[in-house]
Amino acid sequence: MVSAAKTSSEASPIRLGMVGGGQGAFIGAVHRIASRIDGHYDLVAGALSSDPDRAAASAAELGLDPERSYGSFAEMAKAEAAREDGIEAVSIVTPNHVHYPAAKAFLDAGIHVICDKPLTSNLADAKKLAKLVDKTGKLFVLTHNYTGYPMIRQAREMVGKGVLGNIRLVHAEYPQDWLTEKVEDTGAKQAVWRTDPKQSGAGGSIGDIGTHAWNLASFVSGLETDSLAADLDSFVEGRPLDDNAHIMLRFKAKGKEKPAKGMVWCSQVAPGNENGLKLRIYGTKGGLEWTQADPNYLWYTPFGKPKQLITRGGAGSGPAAGRMTRVPPGHPEGYLEGFANIYSEAAMAIRAMRRKKGKVPKDVIFPTVEDGVMGMRFIEACVKSSKKNGAWVKV
Amino acid sequence: MVSAAKTSSEASPIRLGMVGGGQGAFIGAVHRIASRIDGHYDLVAGALSSDPDRAAASAAELGLDPERSYGSFAEMAKAEAAREDGIEAVSIVTPNHVHYPAAKAFLDAGIHVICDKPLTSNLADAKKLAKLVDKTGKLFVLTHNYTGYPMIRQAREMVGKGVLGNIRLVHAEYPQDWLTEKVEDTGAKQAVWRTDPKQSGAGGSIGDIGTHAWNLASFVSGLETDSLAADLDSFVEGRPLDDNAHIMLRFKAKGKEKPAKGMVWCSQVAPGNENGLKLRIYGTKGGLEWTQADPNYLWYTPFGKPKQLITRGGAGSGPAAGRMTRVPPGHPEGYLEGFANIYSEAAMAIRAMRRKKGKVPKDVIFPTVEDGVMGMRFIEACVKSSKKNGAWVKV
Amino acid sequence: MVSAAKTSSEASPIRLGMVGGGQGAFIGAVHRIASRIDGHYDLVAGALSSDPDRAAASAAELGLDPERSYGSFAEMAKAEAAREDGIEAVSIVTPNHVHYPAAKAFLDAGIHVICDKPLTSNLADAKKLAKLVDKTGKLFVLTHNYTGYPMIRQAREMVGKGVLGNIRLVHAEYPQDWLTEKVEDTGAKQAVWRTDPKQSGAGGSIGDIGTHAWNLASFVSGLETDSLAADLDSFVEGRPLDDNAHIMLRFKAKGKEKPAKGMVWCSQVAPGNENGLKLRIYGTKGGLEWTQADPNYLWYTPFGKPKQLITRGGAGSGPAAGRMTRVPPGHPEGYLEGFANIYSEAAMAIRAMRRKKGKVPKDVIFPTVEDGVMGMRFIEACVKSSKKNGAWVKV
Amino acid sequence: MVSAAKTSSEASPIRLGMVGGGQGAFIGAVHRIASRIDGHYDLVAGALSSDPDRAAASAAELGLDPERSYGSFAEMAKAEAAREDGIEAVSIVTPNHVHYPAAKAFLDAGIHVICDKPLTSNLADAKKLAKLVDKTGKLFVLTHNYTGYPMIRQAREMVGKGVLGNIRLVHAEYPQDWLTEKVEDTGAKQAVWRTDPKQSGAGGSIGDIGTHAWNLASFVSGLETDSLAADLDSFVEGRPLDDNAHIMLRFKAKGKEKPAKGMVWCSQVAPGNENGLKLRIYGTKGGLEWTQADPNYLWYTPFGKPKQLITRGGAGSGPAAGRMTRVPPGHPEGYLEGFANIYSEAAMAIRAMRRKKGKVPKDVIFPTVEDGVMGMRFIEACVKSSKKNGAWVKV
């Protein structure tokens, strides 16, 4: 039941750097754990904070060589590119507006990039980045981490094999409650930048979690969104970015079938919801349901038959999920393992590129810069539609 | 823990008639059971089918006096009004297009009406019916039966008391799967009339189950819908009425608060969903979640505190739910008991009208003809919005 | 999906009497609702309380003819047997110690008996009653009501067909919390008699709920208990009867197979448990799990395949459950419907006896006086084992 | 919400060795991931298999210096103790019968031991080991990994603070299904040694998973077991060790309170159960329920109040759980993180011992050699009781 594959690549770690993720950050620690779980990476350099003191203190805490703790990503890209033992890849875990300049600096320096989502703070930057990735031939891995959950891979495989028949409906939602009150006024770091258009871009909840929901819907269903109608709100007085979004989706047709429809809801003001990401897909032959908080389960509902609960590693779970599985069924894996799966896929790709001059194996799957561009299109379409009173807008 | 109130009214049953509900029907049997559970009614007359043979056979099966088994509702209204022991109330459980003429006949004959939803097959009829109810002073009870569930009463009471603070979000959904394939072509009676605009009216899934979801959202939240944007589909080839609907809602403001928003989804083509009616409401202080398939539970999620699971009859369950409760917590009540609660509320009202010349006690609550008119407005607004490519339409 | 059978027997109700169940009682109201749901019975006589005033008031509330409201069960048995329109069956819903004399009186008078469990307050009475039933040829229906749940019938059918292979394990539990504190000292009627050996017999929780759990385990598994080891406790200071019991079971062998083993736990002092009756059965080919609080679901876990959730009325649900089903899947039925199923089975049997001189149809299944005797053996074996420090005792 | 503590100790890893855990093993990979998650350890040496080829291949795969891949644990203990950069701690992840000699070798060599459970293959060895630990003053950490789950720490903290009042009942169960058929005959490595008394000791399911359940019950309740009655079975023909056990427990009294009682069930032949470890504890004031498959939730049921669902990192979750938490509530942590928590506690202790000459901080908690001895007592008592037909046996 247990994937031995995880063990086989524990040898010869990839040299990794990090931008952002210093003391007080949340997602930086997640990236570090994710990079460690399968033993593929060594964190050896960092520009961990824009505040020099915090950067140094953070580096010391992580046991980095002080020489490789940098004051800025620009300095780091230059210095590491010049070292023989320089980093092979960098993780960018800053607020959104830094993604573009940082990614550019490392790509230009010939270093692979693993970057948090959303890709950038606006679509124009996103497009420039996509071009740059194409030009440099370097890897660009976007950490839409939920695509790393084994049962999400399982769902994608089932849809791809036609188990559900023609897809008619895709429902995704991502409710949270942590911005129910105006916590950004208390100085809470996570809330401050996420509600600030200068650091986050045009989307609030849409950019932070709505993109995750929509990306997951696209990843599993394999459908492209044609257009959407969105109704965005800032329920908390004086909050400049949306903290709730209601969205209706129309997908592009596949063959002669009626095109699928969908709904997305994301919210940061729905009390009782911690990270309630949920995906439901229905086709002519059956349905699937998955919830992030209970990620080891996938409901499969073949039409006219009893519902089945497929468990990670259990009966009915196929090869796509098996590649992402470490421990036997009934021993839950979680958020960090799902995140680690993205890092491990990236490692597979980076090693393949070393060996084979750029050819990533077919079964290695991770979100790319193109997915990031699509995410930015989604955000901008939502904002545009909402400003036009919910009119349908092409994505 | 057990409500003694149920026992106190077992005496002196109300004389009841029924229109529709003969052999092969589904909802007629439900109404009959609902009317029996608390012992408030005696079914003594019927026009059970438009097919005379089926009407007679059905009446015999139910043990009706053959003399009081009628060939048409018109005949029945006339004859029963003329009897000294004639029916005091009638249940109308036909396809939608018969609701209006049948209700009119009984109201005109001075007989109270208990009628299935949606109120009529079009808004014009609905308005006429409302005027007639007003004019005759008779009771009109619309069986939006889900409003009879104890935990729905509990939720409504909590919202009304301000436990959730100002309401920001209302999400209702009602997915089913029984029309995933084109069963109406097999002659299945339930499917045939529900997919036929002549019998159902302009709404398919919207009229059959969407109205239930929206009615419940309104009943619990106490909010009025200002406008909506809808995207209706008939996924099954050649089906003239919608079998899926995506709807965004905007509610009217209450005081100075930002007006609430909402979403409604109903579907008859979502495999794995039997009768998946679900309601979620979020305010500034907390949230509530309820699912029809597991109706004895109500999740209450006060912001910043652990989630609480309130159970029917258990701790935290208040008087509004208590009135609707027969057995101790942990002994589940279900759909039929919820339906019976509407019948029992109607019985309380009918008896009160006998005693007090028309005054219904304050704590007796049931959906009225006005709710029916609102439901028809909702259906027509959905159809209109969808035809206008999802434009926002006033309800 | 909906059983039409329920409708077919609404005609010609059976004349029913009741002993016990007056004001302040709990289970009497449950029996009355259960008798009404499918329209099989008319309650026409009663000896509703041993307190004459309460008996009269209760009868008036229920609309009984005052002439047929009796001061004692003895008087009622005699008078009703003498009437041409006398009752055909009686429901006995008193504390345990009254079961035997009351049942005897009605059986002797030629009246069928529907009796609450446990059968009597001691094994000797139980055996005498069994002989009397045999001698009189009257029906005796014991309301082990949980056997009336559709998914319990489904489980029994699956086990009977060998779907689980050879049964190895049977686990049943019935935790409650309502006697966590010494409520009997507050005068609470339900608690007072249940903790009084004179009214309850030798078993406390064992008799009140442990018998239900064990009966259900036997009913579904089809296994006979060979012996048991029990550890009974009265956790609440000064309570004379057990409020918690731990029991290990050994079943009799079937053929050459190793005999199955089991565990039973019942408790009235486990906070958070309302009526947590749960049954789990495991065989060589698969398992089943069912919980009373969520009775419309049955987990079926075929070994080596994904878990399946069978729903009442849904796919995978067979004829045994279908006979017990009124409304479509997803519309929950509950405790009262399960109870009503026992009453309806009894009605089928009573009608069959009228028509066919005593022959009850094969598919009509209900707990009998023999099940009641077995239940008394179980209670006495538990008490005996516990007194002998948990030694294994034959049942 | 997120514990920053995890970051603070990422620096200066502890040098770790491993005995067992080569290719084809399961638990070795789990230990390695657990050791990596928080960055506390560097795996630098190993005697990974008793088969020299497999040992070498496994070492290479893990990137170990070939010089530090040893042919036996004895050789490894000697060589590493002699190196200036020798390992500070060793993980022993072999079948049970090797635990004792291996642990002895490393303790004698002055190296801390992290050892899988059960402690040894018999009680005599266990006692000798406990003496040796005492004599050498080295750390001995037993990986009863379930004690590392945050919500288990939360439960323990709540019980310790008296939130449940006096404990009356403790129910633990650990059902699995993987030995439902005789897989050991197929050569499956995991099954072969677990069903072999020479490698496992006297307990089958009791030693493999029963000890986990009982250890967890003891850890959370803080209660000592006085005696037990056990009924062990080998349901699969020809299997020499138990694959199912039913156990009744009596705990030692605390103060004047009636002593608590309990039940333990473990099984390897219950189809549909993957790793169904579950713990329920009830006291005079409330109850707790926790399930390993859904470990981020803890049900808290205060008597007379609505049930509460406490989530890891969420409201109601206290400091003991907080120390064990990495990511925000709603982002699930799982089995590997729970296991990692034991490794991190061990790291805290090892570092403290370096700094403070042996003094482990009070809030650092992990299972010790004493817990291991208790576990062996439990196994032997179960076997003894079962042989004496379930007689009560002192633990």
Side-chain angles (χ1 to χ4, degrees):
Chain A
M1 297 175 200
V2 185
S3 169
K6 296 295 156 191
T7 321
S8 68
S9 51
E10 293 183 16
S12 61
I14 294 161
R15 297 182 302 279
L16 182 71
M18 181 168 277
V19 178
Q23 292 168 338
F26 148 58
I27 204 69
V30 168
H31 279 252
R32 286 194 295 271
I33 294 174
S35 75
R36 279 196 301 256
I37 281 181
D38 296 318
H40 290 302
Y41 298 87
D42 258 0
L43 182 65
V44 293
L48 299 170
S49 174
S50 52
D51 171 330
D53 287 348
R54 185 179 283 178
S58 304
E61 205 177 78
L62 294 173
L64 293 189
D65 179 350
E67 200 176 279
R68 296 176 83 173
S69 169
Y70 301 94
S72 74
F73 62 75
E75 186 191 340
M76 176 174 161
K78 196 176 162 189
E80 288 292 322
R83 292 178 73 111
E84 207 160 317
D85 66 348
I87 58 172
E88 301 170 78
V90 70
S91 294
I92 300 173
V93 297
T94 62
N96 306 344
H97 68 302
V98 183
H99 291 179
Y100 174 68
K104 185 176 185 313
F106 287 94
L107 289 170
D108 282 338
I111 292 166
H112 300 306
V113 172
I114 299 169
C115 183
D116 215 296
K117 47 49 55 188
L119 182 58
T120 55
S121 57
N122 61 70
L123 180 55
D125 283 356
K127 288 178 179 171
K128 283 190 271 180
L129 206 51
K131 278 192 192 165
L132 190 62
V133 169
D134 191 51
K135 189 182 123 193
T136 60
K138 292 286 119 186
L139 273 179
F140 191 97
V141 177
L142 192 73
T143 52
H144 268 308
N145 57 293
Y146 303 109
T147 64
Y149 272 113
M151 298 321 277
I152 284 296
R153 297 290 173 117
Q154 171 71 20
R156 188 176 186 266
E157 187 177 57
M158 290 174 79
V159 172
K161 283 185 176 169
V163 173
L164 303 196
N166 303 308
I167 304 303
R168 287 170 168 170
L169 295 167
V170 182
H171 281 229
E173 62 183 48
Y174 198 151
Q176 297 180 326
D177 67 2
W178 69 298
L179 296 180
T180 292
E181 297 181 349
K182 207 172 180 188
V183 282
E184 57 265 45
D185 286 0
T186 68
K189 189 181 155 89
Q190 299 301 323
V192 168
W193 77 258
R194 277 186 176 79
T195 57
D196 174 8
K198 284 182 206 146
Q199 298 184 70
S200 272
S205 65
I206 272 293
D208 195 30
I209 52 177
T211 42
H212 271 311
W214 179 79
N215 171 269
L216 202 65
S218 306
F219 180 76
V220 173
S221 71
L223 296 175
E224 287 180 66
T225 302
D226 177 76
S227 52
L228 59 78
D231 200 22
L232 273 53
D233 281 281
S234 302
F235 278 108
V236 170
E237 196 69 41
R239 183 172 286 163
L241 291 177
D242 61 278
D243 49 26
N244 189 82
H246 293 162
I247 306 160
M248 301 196 297
L249 298 176
R250 292 175 181 166
F251 294 97
K252 292 183 184 168
K254 279 206 160 181
K256 295 177 188 172
E257 298 304 321
K258 285 208 181 182
K261 298 285 180 82
M263 288 181 114
V264 169
W265 169 45
C266 64
S267 184
Q268 294 162 328
V269 295
N273 291 283
E274 295 173 335
N275 282 287
L277 176 59
K278 184 174 183 174
L279 181 64
R280 295 182 284 184
I281 302 193
Y282 303 104
T284 49
K285 292 185 187 169
L288 291 173
E289 293 193 20
W290 179 85
T291 302
Q292 195 258 160
D294 305 298
N296 297 281
Y297 305 109
L298 178 67
W299 278 106
Y300 165 46
T301 54
F303 181 63
K305 292 186 187 160
K307 298 182 181 191
Q308 295 183 14
L309 188 63
I310 301 176
T311 54
R312 185 193 46 72
S317 189
R323 286 185 64 245
M324 305 281 110
T325 290
R326 291 168 190 81
V327 290
H331 280 154
E333 297 194 35
Y335 175 83
L336 291 166
E337 288 87 345
F339 218 113
N341 287 336
I342 302 296
Y343 264 86
S344 294
E345 292 288 64
M348 299 292 169
I350 291 170
R351 287 189 169 126
M353 292 185 77
R354 287 203 288 211
R355 288 194 306 267
K356 298 183 191 171
K357 301 181 182 173
K359 213 171 160 190
V360 176
K362 262 192 188 175
D363 61 342
V364 171
I365 295 166
F366 51 80
T368 66
V369 75
E370 297 302 334
D371 295 301
V373 172
M374 286 308 297
M376 295 311 297
R377 286 188 196 279
F378 169 77
I379 294 170
E380 299 212 350
C382 287
V383 172
K384 189 174 164 190
S385 170
S386 191
K387 282 187 182 158
K388 295 173 71 174
N389 192 29
W392 286 92
V393 167
K394 291 275 172 187
V395 174
Chain B
M1 296 173 200
V2 185
S3 167
K6 295 295 155 190
T7 318
S8 67
S9 50
E10 292 183 19
S12 61
I14 294 160
R15 297 180 304 278
L16 183 70
M18 180 168 281
V19 178
Q23 291 169 339
F26 148 58
I27 204 69
V30 167
H31 279 252
R32 286 193 295 271
I33 295 175
S35 74
R36 280 197 299 256
I37 283 182
D38 296 320
H40 290 302
Y41 298 87
D42 257 0
L43 181 65
V44 294
L48 300 170
S49 175
S50 51
D51 171 329
D53 288 347
R54 185 179 283 179
S58 303
E61 205 176 79
L62 293 173
L64 294 189
D65 179 349
E67 200 175 280
R68 297 176 83 175
S69 169
Y70 301 94
S72 74
F73 62 77
E75 188 192 337
M76 174 173 161
K78 196 176 162 191
E80 289 291 323
R83 294 177 71 111
E84 208 159 316
D85 66 346
I87 58 172
E88 302 171 78
V90 69
S91 294
I92 300 174
V93 298
T94 62
N96 306 344
H97 68 303
V98 183
H99 291 179
Y100 174 67
K104 184 175 184 317
F106 288 93
L107 290 169
D108 282 338
I111 292 167
H112 300 307
V113 172
I114 299 170
C115 183
D116 215 295
K117 45 51 58 189
L119 182 57
T120 55
S121 57
N122 62 70
L123 180 55
D125 283 355
K127 288 178 180 172
K128 282 189 273 179
L129 206 51
K131 278 192 190 163
L132 190 62
V133 169
D134 193 50
K135 189 184 124 194
T136 60
K138 293 286 117 185
L139 273 181
F140 192 98
V141 177
L142 192 72
T143 52
H144 268 308
N145 58 292
Y146 303 109
T147 63
Y149 272 113
M151 300 320 278
I152 284 296
R153 298 290 173 117
Q154 172 70 20
R156 186 174 187 266
E157 186 177 61
M158 290 174 79
V159 172
K161 283 185 177 170
V163 173
L164 304 196
N166 303 309
I167 304 302
R168 287 171 168 170
L169 295 167
V170 181
H171 282 230
E173 63 184 43
Y174 198 152
Q176 297 180 328
D177 67 3
W178 68 298
L179 296 181
T180 293
E181 298 181 351
K182 208 174 179 190
V183 282
E184 56 266 45
D185 287 359
T186 68
K189 191 181 154 90
Q190 298 303 320
V192 168
W193 78 258
R194 278 187 175 80
T195 58
D196 174 8
K198 286 181 206 147
Q199 297 185 69
S200 272
S205 66
I206 273 295
D208 195 31
I209 52 178
T211 42
H212 271 312
W214 178 80
N215 171 268
L216 202 64
S218 306
F219 181 77
V220 173
S221 72
L223 295 175
E224 287 180 64
T225 302
D226 178 76
S227 52
L228 58 78
D231 201 21
L232 272 53
D233 281 280
S234 303
F235 277 109
V236 170
E237 196 68 42
R239 183 172 285 162
L241 291 178
D242 62 278
D243 50 26
N244 189 83
H246 294 161
I247 306 159
M248 301 196 297
L249 298 175
R250 292 176 182 165
F251 295 97
K252 292 183 184 168
K254 280 204 160 181
K256 295 179 188 173
E257 297 305 320
K258 286 208 180 183
K261 297 283 179 85
M263 287 181 116
V264 170
W265 170 45
C266 65
S267 185
Q268 294 162 328
V269 295
N273 290 284
E274 295 174 335
N275 282 287
L277 176 60
K278 186 173 181 173
L279 180 65
R280 297 183 283 184
I281 302 193
Y282 303 105
T284 49
K285 292 186 187 170
L288 290 174
E289 293 193 20
W290 180 83
T291 302
Q292 195 258 159
D294 305 297
N296 297 282
Y297 305 110
L298 178 67
W299 278 107
Y300 164 47
T301 54
F303 182 64
K305 291 186 187 160
K307 298 181 181 192
Q308 295 183 15
L309 188 63
I310 301 176
T311 55
R312 185 192 46 72
S317 189
R323 285 184 67 247
M324 304 282 113
T325 289
R326 290 166 192 82
V327 290
H331 280 157
E333 297 194 34
Y335 175 82
L336 291 166
E337 288 87 345
F339 219 112
N341 287 336
I342 301 296
Y343 265 85
S344 295
E345 293 287 63
M348 300 290 170
I350 291 170
R351 288 188 167 126
M353 291 183 76
R354 287 202 289 211
R355 289 192 306 269
K356 298 183 192 172
K357 302 181 183 175
K359 214 175 161 187
V360 176
K362 261 194 189 172
D363 60 344
V364 171
I365 295 166
F366 51 81
T368 65
V369 75
E370 297 302 334
D371 295 301
V373 172
M374 287 307 297
M376 295 311 298
R377 286 187 197 280
F378 169 75
I379 294 170
E380 299 212 349
C382 286
V383 172
K384 188 174 167 190
S385 170
S386 192
K387 283 188 182 158
K388 295 173 72 172
N389 193 28
W392 287 91
V393 167
K394 290 274 172 188
V395 174
Chain C
M1 295 175 201
V2 185
S3 169
K6 294 296 157 192
T7 319
S8 67
S9 51
E10 293 183 15
S12 62
I14 294 161
R15 297 181 302 280
L16 182 71
M18 181 167 278
V19 177
Q23 292 170 339
F26 147 59
I27 204 68
V30 167
H31 279 253
R32 286 194 295 271
I33 294 175
S35 73
R36 279 197 300 256
I37 282 182
D38 296 319
H40 290 303
Y41 299 87
D42 257 1
L43 182 66
V44 294
L48 299 170
S49 175
S50 51
D51 171 330
D53 288 348
R54 186 180 282 177
S58 303
E61 204 176 79
L62 294 173
L64 293 188
D65 179 349
E67 199 176 281
R68 297 176 82 174
S69 168
Y70 302 93
S72 74
F73 62 76
E75 186 191 340
M76 174 173 162
K78 195 177 163 190
E80 289 291 322
R83 293 178 72 113
E84 207 160 315
D85 66 346
I87 56 171
E88 301 170 77
V90 69
S91 294
I92 300 173
V93 298
T94 63
N96 307 343
H97 68 303
V98 182
H99 291 180
Y100 174 68
K104 184 174 185 317
F106 288 93
L107 289 170
D108 282 338
I111 292 167
H112 300 306
V113 172
I114 300 170
C115 182
D116 215 295
K117 44 53 56 188
L119 182 57
T120 55
S121 58
N122 62 69
L123 179 55
D125 283 356
K127 288 178 180 173
K128 283 190 270 179
L129 206 50
K131 277 192 191 165
L132 189 61
V133 169
D134 192 49
K135 189 184 125 196
T136 60
K138 294 285 119 186
L139 273 180
F140 192 97
V141 177
L142 192 72
T143 53
H144 268 307
N145 59 292
Y146 303 110
T147 63
Y149 272 112
M151 299 321 277
I152 284 297
R153 298 289 173 117
Q154 171 71 21
R156 188 175 185 266
E157 186 177 59
M158 291 174 78
V159 172
K161 283 185 176 169
V163 174
L164 303 196
N166 302 308
I167 303 303
R168 288 170 168 170
L169 295 167
V170 182
H171 281 230
E173 61 184 48
Y174 198 151
Q176 298 180 327
D177 67 3
W178 69 297
L179 296 180
T180 293
E181 298 180 350
K182 209 172 179 189
V183 282
E184 57 266 45
D185 286 359
T186 67
K189 190 180 155 91
Q190 299 302 322
V192 168
W193 77 257
R194 277 188 175 78
T195 57
D196 175 8
K198 284 180 206 148
Q199 297 185 69
S200 272
S205 65
I206 273 294
D208 195 30
I209 51 177
T211 43
H212 271 312
W214 178 79
N215 170 268
L216 202 64
S218 307
F219 180 77
V220 173
S221 71
L223 295 175
E224 287 180 65
T225 302
D226 178 76
S227 52
L228 58 78
D231 201 21
L232 273 53
D233 280 279
S234 302
F235 277 109
V236 170
E237 196 69 40
R239 182 173 287 165
L241 292 177
D242 61 277
D243 51 24
N244 189 81
H246 293 161
I247 306 161
M248 301 196 298
L249 299 176
R250 292 175 181 166
F251 295 97
K252 292 183 183 167
K254 280 205 160 181
K256 296 176 185 172
E257 298 303 320
K258 285 208 180 182
K261 298 284 179 82
M263 288 181 114
V264 169
W265 169 45
C266 65
S267 185
Q268 293 163 328
V269 295
N273 291 283
E274 294 173 336
N275 281 287
L277 175 59
K278 185 175 181 173
L279 180 65
R280 296 183 283 184
I281 302 193
Y282 303 104
T284 49
K285 293 185 187 169
L288 290 174
E289 293 192 21
W290 180 84
T291 302
Q292 195 258 159
D294 305 297
N296 297 281
Y297 305 110
L298 178 67
W299 277 107
Y300 165 47
T301 55
F303 182 62
K305 292 186 188 160
K307 297 182 182 190
Q308 296 183 15
L309 188 63
I310 301 176
T311 54
R312 185 193 45 72
S317 189
R323 285 184 66 246
M324 305 281 111
T325 289
R326 291 166 190 80
V327 289
H331 281 154
E333 297 194 33
Y335 175 82
L336 292 167
E337 288 87 345
F339 219 113
N341 286 336
I342 301 297
Y343 265 85
S344 294
E345 292 288 64
M348 299 291 169
I350 291 170
R351 286 189 169 128
M353 290 185 77
R354 287 203 289 210
R355 287 194 305 268
K356 301 183 192 171
K357 302 180 181 174
K359 215 174 160 189
V360 176
K362 262 193 187 174
D363 60 342
V364 171
I365 294 165
F366 51 80
T368 66
V369 75
E370 297 302 334
D371 295 301
V373 172
M374 288 307 297
M376 295 311 298
R377 286 188 196 279
F378 169 77
I379 294 171
E380 299 211 350
C382 286
V383 172
K384 188 174 166 190
S385 170
S386 192
K387 282 187 184 159
K388 295 172 70 175
N389 193 29
W392 286 93
V393 168
K394 290 275 171 187
V395 174
Chain D
M1 297 174 199
V2 185
S3 167
K6 295 295 155 189
T7 320
S8 66
S9 51
E10 292 183 17
S12 63
I14 294 160
R15 296 181 303 280
L16 182 71
M18 181 168 279
V19 178
Q23 292 169 338
F26 148 58
I27 204 69
V30 167
H31 278 254
R32 287 194 293 270
I33 294 175
S35 74
R36 281 196 300 256
I37 282 181
D38 296 319
H40 289 303
Y41 298 87
D42 257 359
L43 181 66
V44 294
L48 299 171
S49 175
S50 52
D51 171 331
D53 287 349
R54 186 179 282 178
S58 303
E61 204 175 79
L62 294 174
L64 293 189
D65 180 348
E67 199 175 280
R68 298 176 82 175
S69 168
Y70 301 94
S72 74
F73 62 76
E75 187 192 338
M76 176 172 160
K78 195 176 163 191
E80 289 292 322
R83 293 178 72 112
E84 207 159 317
D85 66 348
I87 57 171
E88 302 170 77
V90 69
S91 295
I92 300 174
V93 297
T94 63
N96 306 344
H97 67 303
V98 183
H99 291 179
Y100 174 67
K104 184 175 185 314
F106 287 93
L107 290 169
D108 282 338
I111 292 166
H112 301 305
V113 171
I114 299 169
C115 183
D116 215 295
K117 46 52 57 189
L119 182 57
T120 55
S121 56
N122 61 70
L123 179 56
D125 283 357
K127 289 178 179 172
K128 283 191 272 179
L129 206 52
K131 278 193 191 163
L132 190 61
V133 169
D134 192 51
K135 189 183 123 194
T136 60
K138 293 285 116 185
L139 273 181
F140 191 96
V141 177
L142 191 72
T143 52
H144 268 309
N145 58 292
Y146 303 109
T147 63
Y149 272 113
M151 299 320 277
I152 284 295
R153 298 290 173 117
Q154 171 70 20
R156 187 176 187 265
E157 187 177 58
M158 289 173 79
V159 172
K161 283 185 177 169
V163 173
L164 304 197
N166 303 309
I167 303 302
R168 288 172 168 169
L169 295 167
V170 182
H171 282 231
E173 63 183 45
Y174 197 151
Q176 295 180 328
D177 67 3
W178 69 298
L179 296 179
T180 292
E181 298 181 350
K182 207 172 179 189
V183 282
E184 57 267 44
D185 285 0
T186 68
K189 192 181 154 91
Q190 298 303 321
V192 168
W193 78 257
R194 278 187 176 80
T195 58
D196 174 8
K198 286 182 204 145
Q199 298 184 69
S200 272
S205 66
I206 272 294
D208 195 30
I209 52 178
T211 42
H212 271 311
W214 179 79
N215 171 269
L216 202 65
S218 306
F219 181 76
V220 173
S221 72
L223 295 175
E224 287 180 65
T225 301
D226 177 76
S227 52
L228 59 78
D231 200 21
L232 272 53
D233 281 280
S234 303
F235 278 108
V236 171
E237 196 66 42
R239 183 172 286 163
L241 291 177
D242 62 278
D243 50 25
N244 189 83
H246 293 161
I247 306 159
M248 301 196 297
L249 299 175
R250 292 175 181 165
F251 294 97
K252 292 183 183 168
K254 281 205 159 180
K256 295 177 187 172
E257 298 303 321
K258 285 209 181 182
K261 297 284 180 82
M263 286 180 116
V264 169
W265 170 45
C266 64
S267 185
Q268 293 162 328
V269 296
N273 290 284
E274 295 174 335
N275 282 287
L277 176 59
K278 185 173 181 174
L279 180 65
R280 295 182 284 183
I281 302 192
Y282 303 104
T284 48
K285 292 186 187 169
L288 290 174
E289 293 193 20
W290 179 85
T291 303
Q292 194 258 158
D294 304 297
N296 297 281
Y297 305 109
L298 178 67
W299 278 105
Y300 164 47
T301 54
F303 182 63
K305 292 185 188 160
K307 298 182 180 191
Q308 295 183 15
L309 188 63
I310 302 177
T311 55
R312 185 192 46 73
S317 188
R323 284 185 66 246
M324 305 281 112
T325 289
R326 292 166 190 82
V327 289
H331 280 155
E333 297 194 34
Y335 175 83
L336 292 167
E337 288 86 344
F339 219 111
N341 287 336
I342 301 296
Y343 265 85
S344 294
E345 293 287 63
M348 300 291 170
I350 291 170
R351 288 191 167 123
M353 291 185 76
R354 287 203 289 213
R355 287 192 306 268
K356 297 183 192 173
K357 301 181 182 174
K359 215 174 162 188
V360 176
K362 262 193 189 174
D363 60 344
V364 171
I365 294 165
F366 51 81
T368 66
V369 75
E370 297 303 334
D371 296 300
V373 172
M374 287 306 297
M376 295 311 298
R377 285 188 197 279
F378 169 76
I379 294 171
E380 299 212 349
C382 286
V383 172
K384 188 174 167 191
S385 170
S386 192
K387 282 187 182 157
K388 295 173 70 174
N389 192 30
W392 286 92
V393 168
K394 291 274 173 189
V395 175

